[in-house]
Amino acid sequence: MVAPILVLAPHGRDAEVIRLVLDEVGMTTRLCADLPALCDGLARDVTALILSEGALLRAGMEPLIACLEAQPPWSDLPVLVLTARGNRSASKARWVQFQRLGNVTLLDPPLHAEALQSAAQSALRARLRQYRIRTLLADIERANDELEGRVAERTQSLQTEMRERRKAEEALQQAQKMEAVGQLTGGIAHDFNNLLQVMLGNLHLLRSALSADEALLRHVTMAVTAGDRAAALTRHLLAFARRQPLTPRSLDLNALVAAMSGLIQQSVGESIRVDTALADGLWRTWADANQVESALLNLAINARDAMPDGGLLRVETSNTVLDETVSDAQGDILPGRYVLLRITDTGSGMPPDVLERAFEPFFTTKPIGQGSGLGLSQLYGFARQSGGHAAIRSQPGQGTTVSLYLPQHDGVDGADSSVPAVDAPSQDPSRNDETILVVEDEALVLMLWVEALEGQGYHVLQAAEPEAAIRILESDTAIDLLITDVGLPGMTGRDLAEVARGLRPGLRVLFVTGYAHYAALEPDSLGAGTRMLSKPVGVDTLQSTVRALLDGDSA
């Protein structure tokens, strides 16, 4: 719909005549009684103004000029002024005043209807072009806003993507570093375990042979004790490197802390005093002992690094009950009964910005080049996976306290105690026809196992590589049990077992490994007729496990 033309001609019937003349060509008009009414009409869309000179002179032009100067940039409203009858030169003298109205056209008398209609139609065409410009400008502005919005959104998306990429790159670098450390640690532990296997195995055989010589037996026993300590150290290394299958069990934290107190003191050095406060009547908990040991050792090393000039390291255990109101900055803690392991040092402490990020994945509180350790984020993840929680308090210059909450477990006492060595069963002549195939690439270990099993009356076949073992399995020789190392050249022990059972269905298998990198060999994944032992294996343990497998016990 075309906007109206505002008319201000209060003298006589001029306004009505203008309306009638413009109605003939289909143009809409709106008659204004005075100048304020005309200015109010400019608040809406208007095609043009038709004003009589007399009306402007009487009312004054300043209010109208102010309204016209306030037009938006696209608008240049046409103004038609009907000049008064009289001296033409006088009208020309007022032209300067009329120019202040902007897009003004003077219509002198006598004014014919056709001239007024033509001038109004010309003003309409000019105004319609301005409206089209307004629409285009609005479209351009909307497009510009949309473009700026898209640019801002894409910029934010790119910034987020770059931040995520940087985080991913940092996480990858950290993961690669930990993987390299794990491989190095696991490889060293594997070779070390093979050496311990030979030493401890021969010491066990020697101890059996010297049972009547107490003087020599005492020396052998001391050597075995030292070997067992070395084996425990190897287990710590493997657990620390997360390269051994670990399983939760009913655990006595007091016994664990007491057993590790010596190792902790050695790790932190003589300048740091280690105190333990073990609660009486401590509940048992359900956790992975190796993980708890690794966490405790790692926290002790962190405390040592925070106390270069010495200090106090306190390890406490206690029972605690948490209710629904307990929470911390890392999230809600499930209410319940927990066993608390708390480690406190008098070191340098952490500033608030470091403390805030202490449990973030891949964030380390140690300077670059001073090692990474287990990491507080892994400690927190281990606690949550165990159904517990971890919390940390620290202030610069006032030390750090790390609390590990592990859920109470009503388990059987002694579930976490080490299994006593089983006396080697006496030779059973009725079973001398049982044949065992032993596959081990370490010659000294192979020699030890063959001798230990032959000493029990078994017929033992041996192979130093998988290919030789497969040739034996493909023969007609009867085989009752396969004993194989996991890490074999060219083929894993599990692959060899699959080949063996393909050739001899139902064959019993005993895996022995010093480097349990193979997650597929975790105890939960072993099927019937299968057992696994971790090096170093005591000769008596090997013999009893073999006997149990041959008797049909794979539990």
Side-chain angles (χ1 to χ4, degrees):
M1 181 179 179
V2 178
I5 296 175
L6 300 185
V7 178
L8 177 60
H11 182 69
R13 298 183 65 251
D14 290 350
E16 184 64 25
V17 172
I18 293 172
R19 184 183 66 78
L20 293 174
V21 170
L22 295 182
D23 279 347
E24 292 178 0
V25 291
M27 302 188 70
T28 303
T29 58
R30 181 182 300 160
L31 306 183
C32 300
D34 50 26
L35 188 61
L38 180 77
C39 292
D40 290 341
L42 293 177
R44 294 175 290 276
D45 284 346
V46 176
T47 295
L49 300 180
I50 298 179
L51 311 171
S52 67
E53 182 180 353
L56 287 176
L57 294 177
R58 285 192 297 270
M61 297 173 56
E62 296 305 325
L64 178 58
I65 291 173
C67 290
L68 294 175
E69 289 179 348
Q71 296 179 91
W74 58 268
S75 178
D76 190 14
L77 183 65
V79 180
L80 306 180
V81 178
L82 307 179
T83 60
R85 296 177 183 272
N87 191 345
R88 176 68 174 173
S89 61
S91 296
K92 290 181 179 179
R94 292 192 293 274
W95 171 244
V96 177
Q97 293 295 325
F98 292 146
Q99 280 184 319
R100 297 177 64 191
L101 297 175
N103 185 13
V104 65
T105 301
L106 298 181
L107 300 176
D108 296 329
L111 183 61
H112 299 286
E114 293 81 2
L116 179 59
Q117 292 171 348
S118 177
Q121 288 173 336
S122 178
L124 174 61
R125 288 191 295 270
R127 191 60 171 171
L128 290 177
R129 284 193 296 271
Q130 295 175 21
Y131 284 149
R132 286 195 292 271
I133 292 174
R134 178 181 67 176
T135 301
L136 291 175
L137 289 175
D139 291 341
I140 292 173
E141 185 175 359
R142 283 195 297 270
N144 183 66
D145 292 341
E146 182 178 355
L147 178 60
E148 289 181 352
R150 290 182 178 179
V151 170
E153 181 180 351
R154 181 55 180 162
T155 300
Q156 183 177 3
S157 176
L158 288 175
Q159 291 174 344
T160 302
E161 183 178 343
M162 291 176 63
R163 287 194 297 268
E164 294 298 327
R165 181 176 299 176
R166 283 195 296 268
K167 290 181 181 179
E169 290 174 352
E170 292 172 359
L172 177 60
Q173 291 173 359
Q174 184 71 8
Q176 290 173 340
K177 176 181 177 181
M178 293 303 296
E179 181 67 19
V181 173
Q183 289 179 355
L184 176 62
T185 305
I188 293 174
H190 172 267
D191 294 339
F192 194 42
N193 267 333
N194 278 333
L195 297 175
L196 285 174
Q197 177 65 72
V198 175
M199 289 187 291
L200 287 175
N202 282 283
L203 285 171
H204 288 160
L205 292 177
L206 187 59
R207 183 171 57 183
S208 299
L210 295 175
S211 58
D213 192 332
E214 293 186 2
L216 291 178
L217 185 61
R218 183 170 63 256
H219 295 294
V220 172
T221 301
M222 288 189 292
V224 170
T225 301
D228 289 339
R229 291 180 61 184
L233 177 60
T234 305
R235 286 194 298 271
H236 287 309
L237 291 174
L238 286 173
F240 187 80
R242 306 183 73 180
R243 283 293 186 267
Q244 113 177 8
L246 305 173
T247 54
R249 57 183 177 176
S250 181
L251 186 64
D252 180 358
L253 279 187
N254 279 351
L256 184 145
V257 172
M260 288 196 64
S261 58
L263 179 61
I264 292 173
Q265 184 66 73
Q266 294 175 8
S267 300
V268 300
E270 296 179 354
S271 63
I272 297 176
R273 181 164 59 92
V274 178
D275 283 351
T276 57
L278 308 181
D280 295 332
L282 188 70
W283 300 326
R284 302 184 71 84
T285 186
W286 183 256
D288 189 307
N290 287 330
Q291 285 281 14
V292 177
E293 290 173 353
S294 297
L296 181 56
L297 183 60
N298 182 71
L299 292 173
I301 293 173
N302 286 346
R304 178 199 64 189
D305 294 341
M307 298 183 289
D309 299 325
L312 172 65
L313 175 65
R314 183 176 178 84
V315 182
E316 305 173 69
T317 62
S318 63
N319 299 326
T320 184
V321 178
L322 303 180
D323 58 24
E324 293 83 352
T325 63
V326 179
S327 64
D328 67 4
Q330 285 76 40
D332 295 333
I333 304 176
L334 293 177
R337 295 153 66 95
Y338 292 88
V339 180
L340 174 60
L341 176 62
R342 176 170 290 161
I343 299 91
T344 303
D345 65 62
T346 58
S348 56
M350 301 182 194
D353 57 332
V354 173
L355 180 62
E356 183 180 358
R357 302 183 57 197
F359 282 134
E360 288 185 10
F362 305 106
F363 180 78
T364 175
T365 58
K366 295 183 180 180
I368 297 176
Q370 293 190 13
S372 56
L374 179 65
L376 290 175
S377 64
Q378 295 178 358
L379 167 68
Y380 182 73
F382 158 66
R384 296 308 292 258
Q385 291 174 4
S386 301
H389 191 72
I392 183 169
R393 297 196 313 270
S394 183
Q395 290 185 7
Q398 298 187 21
T400 300
T401 297
V402 179
S403 300
L404 176 62
Y405 296 87
L406 295 173
Q408 181 203 14
H409 176 67
D410 295 326
V412 179
D413 290 345
D416 60 324
S417 60
S418 53
V419 179
V422 180
D423 293 336
S426 59
Q427 180 177 339
D428 187 347
S430 65
R431 290 170 176 167
N432 285 350
D433 58 343
E434 292 173 316
T435 302
I436 300 173
L437 172 59
V438 180
V439 187
E440 169 60 60
D441 60 322
E442 181 65 40
L444 293 178
V445 177
L446 179 61
M447 184 186 307
L448 170 68
W449 288 350
V450 170
E451 181 178 346
L453 294 173
E454 286 180 341
Q456 294 297 304
Y458 299 110
H459 177 55
V460 182
L461 305 175
Q462 55 184 293
E465 57 184 11
E467 291 77 7
I470 292 175
R471 287 194 294 270
I472 296 175
L473 290 166
E474 290 175 340
S475 68
D476 296 332
T477 304
I479 298 176
D480 300 289
L481 174 66
L482 169 64
I483 301 177
T484 177
D485 189 14
V486 173
L488 296 172
M491 178 183 292
T492 68
R494 177 152 192 168
D495 293 337
L496 176 61
E498 290 179 356
V499 173
R501 282 175 168 166
L503 297 170
R504 298 169 181 263
L507 179 64
R508 294 179 174 85
V509 178
L510 173 61
F511 293 109
V512 185
T513 178
Y515 177 36
H517 172 73
Y518 307 93
L521 290 181
E522 292 181 357
D524 290 344
S525 67
L526 300 178
T530 308
R531 292 283 294 274
M532 183 182 73
L533 296 175
S534 295
K535 295 178 182 177
V537 182
V539 170
D540 46 5
T541 301
L542 175 68
Q543 293 169 342
S544 62
T545 304
V546 166
R547 187 66 263 158
L549 272 171
L550 290 174
D551 288 340
D553 180 11
S554 61

